[in-house]
Amino acid sequence: MRKYGFIAASVILCGMMLVACQPKNETSSSPAHDAENSTEQSAADATSKDAAKRQTIEQVIDQYMVDTFGSQYSQGQVCIPQQMVIATDESDGQDIKVWGDFWVFNYNIAGDTLKTASGGSHPGLFHLKKASNGYEVTGFDQVGDGSQFEPTARKIFGDRYEAFMKMYSDDKAREQNRAQSIAKYVKAHGLKVGMYQDYGWPAVTLPE
């Protein structure tokens, strides 16, 4: 009995040693692998942040309108751009073209209403190029005033002239576009207003 007990104990002991000597399955990644993943994630985060900093064509044109057109009028507390685009041609990254009627309005804030201080229309053609921050305005061909309106508009818009004139004369569509542009600006800038009003006209409620 003692002999069998010794053998059994020896077998158990050997079994325990064999189990102890077996290689362990690693469930955690190696330091080198962790470093590689960390580097890849950092690169992805940097790319995402760079992409977020890049401005769209619409944003670049908006900023140009505020800086260049908005400064030509009596100033208000806020300057809100409005784009009515006819067509965009991005076939040449060094001369991207955007045709349309471009408006800016300066407003003062009175309670929950934006009161129009000044503003105006700038129909024409924007030229842009691709840049490190997204895009950059390189020029603007503006339709002339008075007797120069039609000939310059025909030259700038070409075969898009009829479409431009149809849009240019559509007051209802323009006001709808204006309300949407204001609502977008108000939301983006956290303004506590819900209406806008031109002098001598009823206030207009902004769309949701």
Side-chain angles (χ1 to χ4, degrees), residues 70-128:
S71 62
Q72 299 175 16
Y73 301 97
S74 299
Q75 296 302 290
Q77 290 174 284
V78 295
C79 180
I80 303 179
Q82 173 188 351
Q83 299 185 35
M84 299 186 70
V85 175
I86 292 290
T88 301
D89 180 359
E90 298 183 56
S91 58
D92 182 354
Q94 294 303 302
D95 188 19
I96 298 168
K97 301 179 180 69
V98 182
W99 292 265
D101 188 16
F102 306 94
W103 288 74
V104 286
F105 288 95
N106 290 317
Y107 300 92
N108 289 313
I109 302 173
D112 64 348
T113 304
L114 289 172
K115 301 278 189 174
T116 305
S118 61
S121 169
H122 298 262
L125 167 62
F126 269 101
H127 297 270
L128 304 93

Side-chain angles (χ1 to χ4, degrees), residues 14-207:
C14 289
M16 294 175 62
M17 292 176 66
L18 286 171
V19 170
C21 291
Q22 291 295 320
K24 295 181 180 179
N25 292 325
E26 296 290 342
T27 56
S28 60
S29 59
S30 66
H33 187 265
D34 288 342
E36 181 180 351
N37 284 343
S38 177
T39 301
E40 290 176 354
Q41 184 61 47
S42 297
D45 290 343
T47 300
S48 178
K49 289 178 181 179
D50 287 342
K53 292 178 181 178
R54 297 191 191 104
Q55 292 183 306
T56 64
I57 290 174
E58 180 183 8
Q59 289 171 332
V60 171
I61 290 177
D62 273 350
Q63 191 61 55
Y64 181 94
M65 291 166 64
V66 169
D67 295 341
T68 306
F69 301 157
S71 62
Q72 299 175 16
Y73 301 97
S74 299
Q75 296 302 290
Q77 290 174 284
V78 295
C79 180
I80 303 179
Q82 173 188 351
Q83 299 185 35
M84 299 186 70
V85 175
I86 292 290
T88 301
D89 180 359
E90 298 183 56
S91 58
D92 182 354
Q94 294 303 302
D95 188 19
I96 298 168
K97 301 179 180 69
V98 182
W99 292 265
D101 188 16
F102 306 94
W103 288 74
V104 286
F105 288 95
N106 290 317
Y107 300 92
N108 289 313
I109 302 173
D112 64 348
T113 304
L114 289 172
K115 301 278 189 174
T116 305
S118 61
S121 169
H122 298 262
L125 167 62
F126 269 101
H127 297 270
L128 304 93
K129 68 177 182 179
K130 291 184 178 180
S132 58
N133 66 333
Y135 300 91
E136 175 184 330
V137 172
T138 58
F140 180 67
D141 302 332
Q142 183 164 317
V143 173
D145 295 326
S147 62
Q148 291 301 307
F149 181 90
E150 183 176 348
T152 55
R154 286 187 178 278
K155 180 179 179 181
I156 291 170
F157 286 93
D159 58 4
R160 301 176 179 87
Y161 175 75
E162 296 301 329
F164 161 67
M165 288 305 300
K166 182 179 180 179
M167 181 188 71
Y168 187 77
S169 59
D170 192 339
D171 295 339
K172 183 178 179 180
R174 181 169 59 253
E175 283 305 306
Q176 289 176 342
N177 178 277
R178 180 184 179 188
Q180 292 169 355
S181 298
I182 296 172
K184 181 180 177 181
Y185 182 96
V186 165
K187 183 178 181 180
H189 293 79
L191 300 182
K192 303 300 182 182
V193 297
M195 296 181 288
Y196 71 95
Q197 184 177 24
D198 292 335
Y199 181 78
W201 289 83
V204 178
T205 301
L206 296 174

